[in-house]
Amino acid sequence: MTAATLSVSRNSQMRAEAIAGYAFAMPALFLILILLILPIIVVFMISLTDYQLGALTWSWVGLANYAEMMADKAFLRSLANTFIYVAIVVPGSVGFALIIAILVQERTKSKAIYQTIFFLPVTTTLIAMSVVWHFLLNPSLGPVTSLARALGFGDFDVFGDPDLVLVGLAVIGIWQLVGFNMILFLAGLTAIPRDLYDAADIDGADGVWDRFARVTWPMLGPTTLFVVVTSTITAFRVFDTVAVITRGNPMGRSDVLLFTLYKVGFQDFNIGPASAMTIAFLVFVLVVALAQAFLIDRRTHY
Amino acid sequence: MADLTLSGISKTFGPTRVLNDVSLSVRDGEFLTLVGASGCGKSTILRVIAGLEPQDSGTVQIGGRAVDHLRPKQRNVAMVFQSYALYPHMSVHENMAMPLVMSRMSLAERLPLLGRVMPRRREVMKGINAEVDTVARQLQIDALLGRKPAQLSGGQRQRVALGRAMVRHPDVFLMDEPLSNLDAKLRVHMRTELTELHRRLGVTFIYVTHDQVEAMTMSDRVALMDEGRIVQLGTPADLYHNPSDLRVARFIGSPQVNIVSGTTQTKGIAVSDTVLPMQVGLPAGQVVSVGLRPESLSLDIVPGRARLTAKLAHVENLGAEVFLHFILPDSGDPLVLRATLDAFEAHRGRLDQAVALSVDTSRALVFDTAGHRVDSTGRMAAQRPMVQA
Amino acid sequence: MAPVPKSRPRRRTDRLVASLTAHFFLILGAAFILLPFVWMLLTSIRPASEVFTAGFNPIPSAFAGVENYSEALTKSPLLRFMANGVFVCLGILAVQLLFAIPAGYALAKLSFRAQPLIFALVLFGLTVPVQVTALPIYIALARLNLLDTYFAIMVPFFLSVFGIFLFRQFFKSFPQEIIHAARLDGFTETEIILRIIVPSAMPAIAAFAVFSITSHWNDLYWPLIVTTSPDHATPPLGMMIFRDQETGSNYGALMAGAAIITAPLIIAFLIAQRHFVRGITMTGVK
Ligand SMILES: Nc1ncnc2c1ncn2[C@@H]1O[C@H](COP(=O)(O)OP(=O)(O)O)[C@@H](O)[C@H]1O
Ligand SMILES: [Mg+2]
C-alpha cells in the first residue's frame, strides 16, 4: 500500500468515526440543550423581567427581582436557616460517619451487618420515613417524647419549638446521610496500605490518637474533602423533611431555601423572584463545586 | 547492637500454620538472610520479631532479653518495607524525623497547633533536625529533604526508607524484600550499597528476599525457608555445596541443579547409561536423586571420571559462558552444562550427535526419596538447622 | 521452652476491651438508625386505640396488622401510586439508557470535533440540580398543556448527564483493540454498540439502574410541582396525600402505608446489597 492510499484510508476511517460520533452524541446533546442549557438561560432571562405565568406581555426590569429577593425577609430567613441546617448536618454526618467507618472497618464478623444497618436509610423513601420521624417525635403520642417524659426530661415538642426545629430536621438529615458517608470513608480506609500502620507502629506512633493523626486522617484527606462537599450539597438541598413535617413552621423557623423557592415559584407563582432565587441557588452550588475542584488540586499530595 | 534469638516460634492464621516451630540465632552484627519462595512465611517472621504480629508460641530475644511483652517501638528494631511505607503526606525530612519525634516529644508537644507553643519543642526539634541531616548526608539524599515521596524515584524512596530506619540507631535492622521494587540494574547496585552500609554500621541485619542471588551475594549466613520452617541455615557456600535437602539444592544456584534419578548399586549409583563411582552407604537397589551442578559436568574427557551420554537440545549463549541444554536419551531428563565459550567452540563440531559428558562425582549431591541428603556413610550430610549456631 | 510471657494475655484483654467498646458505640448508632424502621413496623400492627395511650411501649397488646394494612390499601390508592412509581422509574431509566449509552460511547471511543465541548457540558451538568431547571421546564409544560401527565413527571430526567459521564468512564477502560478488531471484521459502529459494548457494560448498566431507580422512586420535589391529581402521583407524593387524608386519626394505617411504600426498595436492597451500595455511592466517582 502506498503512503497516499494509506492516508486516504486513514482519512476515511476518521471521517466515518466522526460521523458516528456526531450521530451517537447528537440525541444526548439535544437533550442537554433543551433540558439543561436552555432552561438555565431562560430562568436567568426571566429573573430580569416581570414575566407572570400565562401573561402575554412582559418587560425587562433589570435587577428588580434580585432587589426584591434581597429585601424579602422570608427569603433571607430561609437562607439563614439553610446555612444553620448545613452547619449542623455536615459536621454531624461527616464526623459520625468517620467514627463509624473506623469502628466498622476493624470488625471482622459483624462488619457486613453494621454496614447494612447504617446504609438502610440511604435507600429508603425519605418522605415515608419523615412521616415516621414526625410520629416518633410527636409531642403527645410519640414514643421518644414519652420516653423522655418518663425519664424526667419534661415535655418537649421538637418540631413545634422554634429553637429546636432545625436541630430536629438536622437529626433526620444526619440519620439519612451518615450511612452514605460511611461507605465512602470505608472505601478510603481500605485504600490505606497496611504497611503504613506497621511503619507507624515501629516508629512509635502506636496509640489510637497517633495512628489516627499520623496516618488515618492525612491519608483520608481527599476522601474527607469529597464527603464534605457531597454532604454540603445534599444538606443544602434539604426539602423533603420540611415539606412533610414542618412546612416552614413554627414561625418560619424551618423555612429552607428550596422550600421557599417552591412556595414562591409553584404555590404563589411569583415567577420573577423565584427565578432570581433559582439563580442564587445555582451560584451557590457552582461555588461549592469550584471550591471542590480547587481544593482537590491542592490537597492531594500523591 | 545485639544478637537475636528466636526459639520455637509458631504462628497460625485461622486454619493455616504459617510458622512452624522456627528457631534461629543471629549473631551480633551479622547479616542474616531469610530466603524462600513467596508465601513461605518470611515476612511473618520479621513481623513477629518487630512485634507487629504476636506469635502463638515461642520467644523472641534481642540482646539476651525476651521482648515478647514489648511493643514494636520498645524493641528498638527498624524495618524497611517492600513498599517502603513512606508517609505520602510528609516530606522526606518529616518521614525520617518521625521515629525521633515520636520518641522524644510528649503527646502535647506533638499536637498540631498547641505543640508549637510548648517550651521545650524548639530545642528538641533542633536536635532531631541535626540528626536527620547527618543521616541524609550519609545516604546522599540531603538535597531531597524538602520533597514528598511522590516526587522521588524508586531508588531515592529506597534511601529515604533506609534513612528513616537509620536515624533511630536500632539494635536490629529488619528488611523485607527492600530491593524487589527496583529495576534490575539499580537492584544490583543497591546490593553492594547495602552490604557496604551493613559493614559501616556494624549492626545486626535480618534481610528477607525470595531472590537466591541476593541471599548468596550479600549475607554472612542464609536461612532457607519452606512452608513455615527453616530448612537449612548456613553460609552461602554451605547452602550451595552442601545442601541438606533437595529443596535447598533446587532453590540455590542458577541455572538450577540438574536432578537425575539413579539406583544404588554395590559399586556406585546407576544413572542413565553409566554408573557413578560413589559410595553412599545405602543398600543396593534404592532409588535416589542425584544432583549435578552445571559446572560439575564437562565436555572435555577427564580420565577416571564417569561419562554420561547425552544429546544437545539447545544452546543459551551468555557471551563469556554458555549453558548447554542436553537431554538424557533414555529417561528424557534435561541436563544443563556450564562451559566457557572456548570449550564450547572447541567441541562444537561433534555436538550434533550424542556425546559423552564427564561427571565430577566428588561434587555430586545424593538425596533419598524423602529429599534428604545422604552422604557416603548413608547419614545426613549437612547439619539440620540449630538453635545455637 | 521459654514460658509464655505474662504480658501477652494483657494484649488480648486490651483487644477485647477495644472490641467491646466499639460494639457498644456501633450498637448505639445502629439502634438510632433502626429506631424509625422498628417503630414503623410495630405501630403498623398496633390497634388504633393503643396508639393514643401507648407512649413508650414497644410491644403491641394485640395484632392489628390486618386492619391497618387493609385500611392503608383501601383508603387511598397506594397500589396505584406504587404502579405509577414503577412506570415512571422504568420509563425514565429506559430513555436515559437509550440516550446515555451511545453518547457515552461517542465521548469515550470516537473522536470528533465537538467532543471536548460536549464533555465539558456534561461535567457542568453534573453540578446542576433539578431545582435549577424546574421553573422554566414547568412553564414550558404549562404552555404545552402537559402538566399532570406521566410525561411531565418524567421529562426532566430523560437527560442523565451522570449516566453519560458514568458510561463514558466505563467505556474509556474498554480495550480499544477489541473495537478495532470489530471494525476490521466489518461491524458498523451501531453493531459495535449493540453487540460488543452493551453486553460488556452490564455491570455499569446495573449500577446505573439502581442509582436511577432509587433516586426517582424517592423523588418528591418535581412530582409535587407537576402533579395535581392523585392519578399520576408517585409513591412519595402518594404518601403525602395519604398522610393529609389521615390527619393524625389513624397512625396504625399511616405506618402501614409507610411500610408498604418503603418495602420494595428495602427488600431489593437487602437482596442485592452490593449492587445497591455500588450504584448509590457511584456518585463517588465524580
Ligand atoms: N494477616 C494475615 N492473615 C492471614 N494469612 C496471612 C496473613 N499474613 C500472611 N498470611 C499468610 O501467611 C503465609 C506467609 O505469608 P508471608 O509471611 O507474607 O510470606 P512471604 O513473606 O514469605 O512471602 C501466606 O500464605 C499468607 O497468605
Ligand atoms: Mg513477604
Side-chain angles (χ1 to χ4, degrees):
Chain A
M1 213 189 279
T2 67
T5 56
L6 202 106
S7 87
V8 166
S9 80
R10 250 195 77 201
N11 274 336
S12 74
Q13 168 57 33
M14 279 167 67
R15 206 172 317 122
E17 211 179 297
I19 291 172
Y22 282 109
F24 292 152
M26 266 322 130
L29 180 62
F30 172 71
L31 288 188
I32 290 177
L33 292 179
I34 64 160
L35 290 175
L36 181 71
I37 306 301
L38 189 63
I40 291 175
I41 296 172
V42 167
V43 78
F44 178 66
M45 304 250 279
I46 291 179
S47 75
L48 303 174
T49 69
D50 62 355
Y51 177 80
Q52 288 296 320
L53 202 61
L56 294 174
T57 62
W58 51 268
S59 52
W60 297 103
V61 295
L63 295 176
N65 286 319
Y66 291 90
E68 188 181 330
M69 176 181 84
M70 292 313 289
D72 181 357
K73 292 246 169 49
F75 171 75
L76 294 178
R77 193 177 51 212
S78 73
L79 201 58
N81 287 340
T82 309
F83 280 120
I84 294 171
Y85 177 87
V86 170
I88 304 172
V89 169
V90 172
S93 66
V94 175
F96 282 121
L98 179 59
I99 295 170
I100 292 169
I102 289 174
L103 294 180
V104 165
Q105 162 86 350
E106 286 165 4
R107 305 275 69 77
T108 43
K109 281 175 233 144
S110 51
K111 187 172 178 179
I113 175 97
Y114 281 124
Q115 275 190 39
T116 308
I117 292 173
F118 285 105
F119 200 75
L120 205 51
V122 183
T123 49
T124 39
T125 313
L126 186 55
I127 301 308
M129 296 321 287
S130 298
V131 171
V132 178
W133 273 109
H134 197 187
F135 171 56
L136 278 175
L137 294 170
N138 184 306
S140 51
L141 302 173
V144 174
T145 24
S146 20
L147 183 67
R149 197 161 40 230
L151 294 175
F153 286 103
D155 279 343
F156 64 93
D157 175 7
V158 177
F159 298 121
D161 183 335
D163 294 329
L164 278 183
V165 62
L166 277 177
V167 177
L169 293 172
V171 167
I172 306 178
I174 293 172
W175 173 83
Q176 157 138 93
L177 205 50
V178 80
F180 181 84
N181 292 347
M182 170 200 71
I183 293 287
L184 296 179
F185 275 127
L186 276 175
L189 285 173
T190 323
I192 302 178
R194 189 174 82 146
D195 277 1
L196 280 187
Y197 288 107
D198 288 344
D201 258 1
I202 290 182
D203 289 347
D206 58 359
V208 172
W209 165 253
D210 280 321
R211 283 162 74 89
F212 178 77
R214 305 271 156 179
V215 181
T216 312
W217 178 249
M219 292 302 289
L220 278 182
T223 307
T224 309
L225 176 65
F226 179 75
V227 173
V228 167
V229 168
T230 51
S231 301
T232 305
I233 291 180
T234 308
F236 200 74
R237 292 167 62 185
V238 55
F239 176 78
D240 295 13
T241 44
V242 175
V244 171
I245 299 176
T246 64
R247 308 206 170 161
N249 292 320
M251 304 182 301
R253 288 297 283 272
S254 70
D255 259 336
V256 292
L257 189 61
L258 283 187
F259 191 69
T260 305
L261 177 55
Y262 167 76
K263 277 195 303 191
V264 174
F266 302 99
Q267 284 189 334
D268 309 343
F269 296 109
N270 221 341
I271 303 295
S275 49
M277 285 178 203
T278 302
I279 294 296
F281 176 64
L282 175 64
V283 167
F284 177 83
V285 172
L286 289 181
V287 165
V288 174
L290 285 178
Q292 176 193 21
F294 176 71
L295 283 172
I296 277 183
D297 267 358
R298 288 198 36 208
R299 281 281 303 268
T300 43
H301 25 253
Y302 37 92
Chain B
M1 303 254 164
D3 54 352
L4 180 142
T5 308
L6 304 181
S7 358
I9 303 283
S10 291
K11 172 85 194 165
T12 53
F13 285 115
T16 48
R17 182 140 220 196
V18 175
L19 294 181
N20 203 339
D21 194 20
V22 172
S23 296
L24 176 69
S25 182
V26 187
R27 300 182 196 110
D28 184 15
E30 187 174 24
F31 193 127
L32 182 123
T33 299
L34 292 170
V35 69
S38 147
C40 69
K42 306 178 299 285
S43 300
T44 308
I45 290 195
L46 283 199
R47 297 170 55 77
V48 165
I49 295 174
L52 294 170
E53 202 84 73
Q55 67 269 32
D56 298 341
S57 61
T59 307
V60 180
Q61 279 176 294
I62 298 177
R65 164 178 85 113
V67 295
D68 306 280
H69 58 289
L70 296 181
R71 303 170 122 186
K73 64 173 174 191
Q74 298 166 320
R75 298 188 179 196
N76 203 21
V77 298
M79 188 150 168
V80 177
F81 295 84
Q82 181 174 358
S83 64
Y84 312 137
L86 300 176
Y87 309 106
H89 51 282
M90 295 182 190
S91 68
V92 167
H93 183 279
E94 288 167 317
N95 263 287
M96 288 173 62
M98 177 81 163
L100 301 182
V101 168
M102 296 311 298
S103 60
R104 294 187 195 168
M105 286 191 185
S106 67
L107 180 63
E109 285 162 344
R110 296 197 307 263
L111 282 179
L113 288 170
L114 196 64
R116 303 208 170 207
V117 301
M118 301 301 284
R120 217 172 52 92
R121 186 184 144 114
R122 282 259 314 259
E123 202 182 312
V124 179
M125 206 61 221
K126 224 159 126 191
I128 292 176
N129 290 346
E131 284 177 51
V132 169
D133 287 344
T134 311
V135 173
R137 261 194 308 277
Q138 282 173 23
L139 290 168
Q140 297 166 356
I141 48 173
D142 39 337
L144 309 174
L145 285 174
R147 297 209 200 158
K148 295 272 173 73
Q151 301 164 300
L152 302 178
S153 70
Q156 290 168 333
R157 277 180 222 177
Q158 164 76 68
R159 279 161 205 265
V160 177
L162 279 174
R164 184 174 63 182
M166 280 163 66
V167 287
R168 52 186 301 172
H169 301 293
D171 291 334
V172 181
F173 270 82
L174 305 173
M175 307 203 176
D176 193 353
E177 316 216 9
L179 303 186
S180 60
N181 282 345
L182 301 179
D183 63 58
K185 212 168 157 187
L186 196 54
R187 196 153 54 213
V188 174
H189 172 72
M190 284 305 290
R191 286 210 300 251
T192 358
E193 226 173 88
L194 279 180
T195 21
E196 180 61 24
L197 182 72
H198 171 251
R199 202 183 50 73
R200 209 168 60 219
L201 298 175
V203 186
T204 314
F205 271 41
I206 301 184
Y207 185 95
V208 159
T209 181
H210 64 264
D211 179 354
Q212 56 102 14
V213 181
E214 279 177 27
M216 298 295 280
T217 51
M218 300 168 72
S219 350
D220 297 326
R221 285 192 304 157
V222 177
L224 192 139
M225 290 189 61
D226 189 47
E227 296 186 342
R229 294 171 191 273
I230 293 182
V231 183
Q232 187 174 0
L233 171 67
T235 63
D238 246 2
L239 261 64
Y240 188 80
H241 296 294
N242 207 4
S244 66
D245 196 289
L246 190 54
R247 286 170 289 175
V248 180
R250 281 213 158 106
F251 197 88
I252 305 287
S254 168
Q256 259 197 5
V257 67
N258 298 298
I259 302 292
V260 291
S261 58
T263 319
T264 53
Q265 295 183 349
T266 44
K267 278 185 277 174
I269 299 172
V271 171
S272 193
D273 63 338
T274 187
V275 176
L276 303 178
M278 52 194 305
Q279 292 301 323
V280 291
L282 288 175
Q286 299 276 320
V287 176
V288 292
S289 301
V290 180
L292 301 170
R293 294 279 180 202
E295 61 273 12
S296 50
L297 297 170
S298 84
L299 292 168
D300 299 320
I301 309 296
V302 182
R305 282 196 185 165
R307 286 172 212 168
L308 268 174
T309 312
K311 177 112 183 60
L312 184 66
H314 81 105
V315 177
E316 210 178 332
N317 193 335
L318 273 73
E321 53 175 16
V322 180
F323 298 141
L324 303 176
H325 294 254
F326 287 95
I327 302 271
L328 286 179
D330 47 353
S331 61
D333 283 340
L335 210 55
V336 180
L337 180 151
R338 187 197 300 261
T340 62
L341 191 61
D342 293 341
F344 171 56
E345 292 296 349
H347 292 277
R348 188 168 224 164
R350 56 190 194 90
L351 287 178
D352 45 359
Q353 281 164 26
V355 290
L357 309 174
S358 303
V359 184
D360 180 359
T361 43
S362 68
R363 295 210 249 158
L365 309 164
V366 183
F367 304 92
D368 63 18
T369 40
H372 296 309
R373 175 84 179 282
V374 283
D375 66 7
S376 49
T377 57
R379 282 192 328 244
M380 306 273 322
Q383 287 158 320
R384 302 291 291 155
M386 298 173 310
V387 175
Q388 229 61 40
Chain C
M1 205 87 308
V4 174
K6 281 199 200 76
S7 57
R8 194 148 349 104
R10 226 203 74 212
R11 265 207 230 160
R12 294 246 163 88
T13 46
D14 275 4
R15 237 180 294 158
L16 188 69
V17 168
S19 153
L20 286 179
T21 318
H23 277 296
F24 173 77
F25 285 109
L26 286 174
I27 288 172
L28 214 62
F32 168 66
I33 296 290
L34 289 178
L35 175 69
F37 294 104
V38 171
W39 211 262
M40 171 175 80
L41 291 177
L42 286 176
T43 311
S44 75
I45 57 169
R46 208 188 281 281
S49 58
E50 200 186 312
V51 173
F52 291 93
T53 56
F56 188 80
N57 175 20
I59 309 303
S61 63
F63 179 78
V66 179
E67 294 92 312
N68 288 336
Y69 280 88
S70 56
E71 184 174 342
L73 288 171
T74 49
K75 257 227 174 145
S76 80
L78 270 192
L79 290 179
R80 171 68 194 257
F81 300 149
M82 311 240 297
N84 286 343
V86 171
F87 179 75
V88 165
C89 286
L90 292 184
I92 290 174
L93 178 64
V95 179
Q96 283 178 334
L97 289 175
L98 204 61
F99 281 80
I101 291 178
Y105 176 70
L107 290 180
K109 291 293 182 196
L110 302 172
S111 60
F112 53 101
R113 280 270 287 285
Q115 193 192 47
L117 174 73
I118 298 178
F119 188 55
L121 287 177
V122 168
L123 289 181
F124 168 71
L126 283 176
T127 61
V128 180
V130 65
Q131 287 87 356
V132 171
T133 52
L135 193 66
I137 294 178
Y138 176 84
I139 294 171
L141 290 170
R143 282 273 178 104
L144 297 170
N145 246 331
L146 284 170
L147 289 178
D148 205 13
T149 60
Y150 286 124
F151 178 78
I153 299 178
M154 297 193 282
V155 67
F157 307 109
F158 284 162
L159 167 70
S160 171
V161 278
F162 178 64
I164 298 174
F165 177 77
L166 177 83
F167 286 115
R168 185 235 182 220
Q169 298 305 86
F170 189 85
F171 296 149
K172 259 281 184 230
S173 62
F174 191 83
Q176 193 75 39
E177 286 84 6
I178 298 182
I179 293 171
H180 285 320
R183 282 192 193 136
L184 289 176
D185 291 345
F187 282 63
T188 65
E189 295 297 324
T190 316
E191 281 173 318
I192 291 178
I193 290 200
L194 290 178
R195 313 239 319 244
I196 297 170
I197 296 290
V198 170
S200 81
M202 270 324 187
I205 293 176
F208 178 70
V210 167
F211 168 81
S212 168
I213 289 173
T214 44
S215 22
H216 299 302
W217 179 272
N218 293 335
D219 184 35
L220 174 70
Y221 192 84
W222 180 251
L224 185 62
I225 290 172
V226 288
T227 37
T228 42
S229 70
D231 295 348
H232 302 107
T234 54
L237 206 50
M239 189 70 220
M240 279 184 86
I241 295 170
F242 184 41
R243 203 268 314 259
D244 292 345
Q245 278 175 357
E246 287 294 315
T247 53
S249 63
N250 188 350
Y251 277 100
L254 189 61
M255 293 299 122
I260 293 171
I261 278 179
T262 49
L265 278 186
I266 292 188
I267 291 169
F269 166 64
L270 291 177
I271 292 173
Q273 247 186 79
R274 196 163 309 152
H275 292 281
F276 263 75
V277 171
R278 227 173 77 90
I280 293 176
T281 51
M282 239 177 6
T283 42
V285 299
K286 277 198 287 195

